[in-house]
Amino acid sequence: MKPNTNRNKGVAILLALALLISLLYLYKTASSTGPLYSEIVELFKDEKVTEFTLNLGSGLLTYKEKNDTAFKTYKVPSVDLFIYNIEDYIAKYNETHSVPLKYDYVQSTSWLSILINWMPMILSVIMLVMFYISMSQQGGGRINNISKARVQQENEGRKVTFAEVAGADEEKEELQEIIDFLRNPAKYNKLGAKIPSGVLLVGPPGTGKTLLARAVAGEAGCPFFSISGSDFVELYVGVGAARVRDLFDRAKRNRPSIVFIDEIDAVGRQRGTGLGGGHDEREQTLNQLLVEMDGFGINEGVIVMAATNRADILDPALLRPGRFDRQIYVGYPDIKGREEILKVHARGKPLGPDIDLGVIAKSTVGFTGADLENLLNEAALLAARKNRKAITQEEIEEASIKVIVGPEKRSKVVHEKERRLTAYHEAGHAIATFFATPDTPVHQISIIPRGAAGGFTMSLPKDDINYQTKNDMLGNIVTLLGGRVAEQKVLDDISTGASNDLERATAIARSMVTKYGFSDKLGPVVYGSQSEVFLGRDFTQSRNYSEQIATDIDVEIRNIVEECYDRCSTILEEHMDKLHLIANMLMEKEKIEGDEFTRLMNGEEPETSSGPDDESAASAELPADEDTASAAEEQTVSDDPEPAESTDPEE
């Protein structure tokens, strides 16, 4: 049993005993107060009392009447008053009787009387002690142990191993070396190799950094201490640094051991930044962490692992060799990794015969491990909703689009004018995609409202893409402008549905000019700096270019967008018959799959029927940002007055 539990039970028993003593005394006192005070005095006046004893401390009177053999008790309200009332009767009795009255005044008090008299103070002390014990227990906000680190040690039950981590072979190899070092240090010491003191896992959210750390805990045969970066900083000054010291003290007592700090950017941000010069308590915590990792103290046998998706804001002193000697980038999985991840998350889920995980992996470019897990979970929920015994390709397809855009809203009332506008808008996107970005073919076109979108055109790349060229980015701008151009060409009007398209197109053009050096006029120069996350820097940041350059940047961005607009207009004018064909078919069927769209653009006859069983096995993917360019641009357009937000997580 835990010590704290025993202590609480002891206090409870003590309180119950004190309450019982009080009740017994009150009961005894109540049972001894039968006669009135005047009646007792009258007994002495009538000379009926032959013997008595008075306790001067408690006021308890023990007396015996004439012709009685038993003593009776009575608690007088005031000892002094009682003595004053009976002393005349005692003197008179002794004068008139040959046998004097026997009496005694007792000066000492009984332990019960002492206990009762001091009971309020005793109870108060007990309550204070109980409150102190409760506040001293380990946990948040407790007085004594507030400086203790809230460490979670790896559970001895089910452990995550490297067998459950897929799509990160190189990352596992790097971490396996550390585990092997801990198990067999002599193998490396013979060659003069030293164990890395710190390993930093860096990568986008959802790529499996924490999962890798849990797998290290499952594989390592040494103690593993896990803590979040936000658990260090508290309301009280100095608590963060004290918790860092306590954490490393525990790790040193159990070395060799591993310390894992999740979301280290919560405490490891750059010092001296922010409005007013920074956060003193957080910076002191960071300073203590730096000293513990590489200071005068001996820290051998303790490896610090940390995870973050914001390595750009970490303090440079934290990243130098000697502290975090090794940085492991955990990025988006490739097609092979996605298939392995799907196999891991498909365990325990019955899959239909039409499911091919390799095909799903090809069509999920840009998905992280968390995205793939969510995809299969949503598909399982959809299959359960339909009372099916297995997950089919239909649920996979629906789950892909549901995760990206949202659920279908077939019950939403859409006027014919809006349906026609949406049909031409999405047809414009699709045709512009077909001719401007042939490497990212159209996957699906729909005018069925989903989420906040009135319709969408979805495209996906044929292969994994690591970089984007200038022509690729220009083609993406053309496809984004296809809806706006189609509205203007066919309907002779424009709508608010293209506002999000224009915003994304302008952002791409600005990146081309200021970030990637794609402007012929301004040259291969980066203008401005990355957006900062600290409020203080935003106020003090100054531009690194003149007003004339700022004007040239604005002109260049406008020229790029206008050139792409003209190029899109030319494409739609040359294929106006295709535009009408696709729009009319969308008005009739509400949805066109990628294979059918390709046949229509190649002049082939469309299939007479299509249904869920004929849908493409490919599912929709999330596009990456312009930096990684790991996926094609996805078009999501709204027919509402306020257009749908981009589904690109990086936009």
Side-chain angles (χ1 to χ4, degrees):
M1 187 176 293
K2 295 181 179 179
N4 290 337
T5 304
N6 292 332
R7 192 184 299 115
N8 292 337
K9 285 188 176 181
V11 173
I13 293 173
L14 185 60
L15 289 175
L17 182 61
L19 181 61
L20 180 61
I21 293 174
S22 301
L23 292 176
L24 289 175
Y25 179 78
L26 292 175
Y27 174 77
K28 183 176 181 181
T29 303
S31 64
S32 63
T33 56
L36 298 176
Y37 177 74
S38 59
E39 296 176 352
I40 297 297
V41 175
E42 193 68 24
L43 290 176
F44 283 89
K45 181 178 179 182
D46 295 340
E47 299 179 352
K48 294 181 179 180
V49 177
T50 60
E51 185 179 350
F52 75 91
T53 302
L54 178 63
N55 192 317
L56 299 179
S58 63
L60 186 64
L61 174 66
T62 305
Y63 65 95
K64 185 171 67 172
E65 299 182 37
K66 289 181 179 180
N67 303 325
D68 287 344
T69 58
F71 282 88
K72 298 180 181 179
T73 59
Y74 176 80
K75 189 178 186 305
V76 297
S78 174
V79 173
D80 295 336
L81 179 62
F82 180 72
I83 294 175
Y84 174 78
N85 289 332
I86 68 172
E87 61 182 357
D88 292 338
Y89 304 118
I90 294 174
K92 182 179 178 181
Y93 183 93
N94 291 334
E95 292 177 358
T96 59
H97 292 77
S98 59
V99 179
L101 180 65
K102 296 181 180 180
Y103 67 93
D104 188 18
Y105 294 131
V106 182
Q107 296 292 339
S108 61
T109 57
S110 64
W111 66 270
L112 186 61
S113 301
I114 296 175
L115 181 63
I116 296 302
N117 292 334
W118 288 84
M119 184 60 65
M121 184 174 292
I122 293 174
L123 291 176
S124 300
V125 172
I126 291 175
M127 294 300 295
L128 288 175
V129 171
M130 187 176 179
F131 176 76
Y132 180 80
I133 292 173
S134 177
M135 293 299 294
S136 298
Q137 293 175 348
Q138 185 172 356
R142 305 284 165 74
I143 294 176
N144 270 0
N145 294 330
I146 194 172
S147 61
K148 300 294 184 182
R150 303 171 189 172
V151 178
Q152 296 181 359
Q153 288 188 264
E154 181 65 14
N155 190 1
E156 294 297 333
R158 181 186 179 278
K159 294 184 178 181
V160 178
T161 62
F162 280 156
E164 301 178 51
V165 180
D169 295 338
E170 290 77 12
E171 292 83 353
K172 289 193 294 184
E173 183 178 350
E174 292 284 332
L175 295 173
Q176 184 63 52
E177 179 182 291
I178 294 175
I179 296 173
D180 186 43
F181 200 120
L182 290 172
R183 291 177 176 174
N184 186 17
K187 170 183 174 182
Y188 296 87
N189 292 334
K190 290 179 180 178
L191 300 175
K194 294 183 179 181
I195 186 171
S197 59
V199 179
L200 182 64
L201 301 175
V202 184
T207 52
K209 300 182 294 296
T210 305
L211 182 64
L212 278 169
R214 292 180 60 194
V216 170
E219 295 283 345
C222 59
F224 186 94
F225 301 92
S226 175
I227 191 171
S228 173
S230 60
D231 287 335
F232 288 111
V233 181
E234 275 283 358
L235 173 66
Y236 307 103
V237 177
V239 171
R243 288 182 175 175
V244 171
R245 289 191 294 270
D246 178 68
L247 172 64
F248 279 87
D249 286 342
R250 295 193 202 181
K252 291 174 184 177
R253 288 195 299 266
N254 296 275
R255 57 188 175 189
S257 60
I258 299 177
V259 172
F260 175 64
I261 305 176
D262 199 8
E263 303 297 343
I264 194 175
D265 52 275
V267 70
R269 289 189 175 187
Q270 297 180 20
R271 292 165 291 181
T273 56
L275 193 62
H279 190 298
D280 290 338
E281 171 63 12
R282 180 182 53 78
E283 291 183 4
Q284 293 304 319
T285 305
L286 174 59
N287 291 337
Q288 185 63 43
L289 180 62
L290 296 175
V291 172
E292 292 290 346
M293 291 187 67
D294 185 21
F296 279 102
I298 300 176
N299 195 28
E300 295 179 356
V302 178
I303 296 179
V304 181
M305 293 184 61
T308 182
N309 49 32
R310 296 302 311 272
D312 57 310
I313 66 174
L314 294 180
D315 194 275
L318 194 63
L319 301 177
R320 72 162 178 82
R323 293 198 172 108
F324 282 108
D325 303 274
R326 184 171 299 178
Q327 296 187 26
I328 301 177
Y329 181 77
V330 186
Y332 292 96
D334 55 15
I335 182 172
K336 179 183 176 183
R338 291 193 298 273
E339 184 175 358
E340 293 176 354
I341 293 173
L342 287 170
K343 290 179 181 179
V344 171
H345 294 303
R347 296 172 186 171
K349 295 181 176 66
L351 303 180
D354 59 337
I355 294 291
D356 188 345
L357 297 180
V359 174
I360 299 175
K362 290 181 180 179
S363 60
T364 51
V365 178
F367 271 48
T368 64
D371 295 329
L372 295 172
E373 181 182 10
N374 187 35
L375 170 66
L376 289 179
N377 183 63
E378 286 290 341
L381 293 175
L382 291 172
R385 189 181 304 171
K386 297 177 182 178
N387 296 322
R388 293 186 174 177
K389 298 185 181 299
I391 303 173
T392 65
Q393 185 64 34
E394 180 183 349
E395 283 76 46
I396 294 291
E397 182 73 17
E398 175 63 22
S400 302
I401 303 176
K402 179 182 178 181
V403 169
I404 297 173
V405 188
E408 287 187 351
K409 295 184 177 180
R410 290 188 176 273
S411 61
K412 183 178 181 179
V413 178
V414 181
H415 299 292
E416 189 64 23
K417 180 180 179 182
E418 291 183 356
R419 290 184 75 251
R420 186 166 182 267
L421 185 146
T422 305
Y424 275 100
H425 187 109
E426 303 305 334
H429 279 310
I431 294 175
T433 301
F434 184 84
F435 290 101
T437 57
D439 292 335
T440 56
V442 172
H443 173 62
Q444 188 181 94
I445 317 169
S446 174
I447 61 171
I448 302 173
R450 280 181 175 270
F456 65 90
T457 299
M458 193 171 297
S459 58
L460 55 88
K462 298 178 181 178
D463 302 301
D464 290 338
I465 301 174
N466 297 318
Y467 303 99
Q468 270 192 319
T469 64
K470 178 180 179 180
N471 290 331
D472 292 336
M473 301 184 76
L474 292 174
N476 291 334
I477 297 177
V478 172
T479 61
L480 287 169
L481 298 175
R484 173 69 171 263
V485 174
E487 292 177 11
Q488 188 175 30
K489 293 292 182 182
V490 177
L491 305 177
D492 196 22
D493 199 1
I494 53 179
S495 70
T496 59
S499 62
N500 181 251
D501 297 328
L502 296 177
E503 180 181 351
R504 294 168 63 186
T506 305
I508 295 175
R510 181 173 296 278
S511 296
M512 292 176 64
V513 174
T514 62
K515 187 176 181 181
Y516 301 122
F518 285 169
S519 172
D520 295 333
K521 180 178 180 180
L522 297 176
V525 179
V526 175
Y527 298 98
S529 58
Q530 301 290 336
S531 60
E532 302 293 350
V533 296
F534 303 116
L535 183 64
R537 289 187 177 181
D538 290 338
F539 281 115
T540 59
Q541 181 178 345
S542 59
R543 293 188 308 183
N544 58 357
Y545 50 85
S546 64
E547 292 294 334
Q548 179 61 42
I549 293 296
T551 302
D552 294 340
I553 290 174
D554 293 338
V555 172
E556 195 70 7
I557 293 173
R558 183 183 182 119
N559 290 338
I560 290 176
V561 175
E562 288 183 347
E563 289 175 3
C564 293
Y565 194 93
D566 294 338
R567 178 183 170 188
C568 184
S569 298
T570 302
I571 291 174
L572 294 186
E573 286 176 358
E574 293 177 353
H575 303 89
M576 187 61 66
D577 56 334
K578 302 293 184 184
L579 180 64
H580 290 298
L581 175 63
I582 301 300
N584 291 333
M585 186 163 290
L586 283 173
M587 292 282 290
E588 176 185 351
K589 301 176 61 176
E590 294 186 331
K591 185 187 296 184
I592 300 176
E593 298 299 330
D595 294 340
E596 186 177 4
F597 171 76
T598 302
R599 286 193 297 270
L600 292 173
M601 294 302 295
N602 292 331
E604 301 176 11
E605 291 294 329
E607 292 185 353
T608 56
S609 63
S610 67
D613 294 335
D614 298 324
E615 290 184 357
S616 172
S619 60
E621 92 290 353
L622 281 170
D625 57 1
E626 294 88 9
D627 291 324
T628 59
S630 62
E633 291 292 332
E634 172 196 327
Q635 325 294 340
T636 303
V637 185
S638 172
D639 292 331
D640 299 331
E642 292 296 329
E645 294 295 330
S646 168
T647 58
D648 187 342
E650 299 293 333
E651 290 291 343

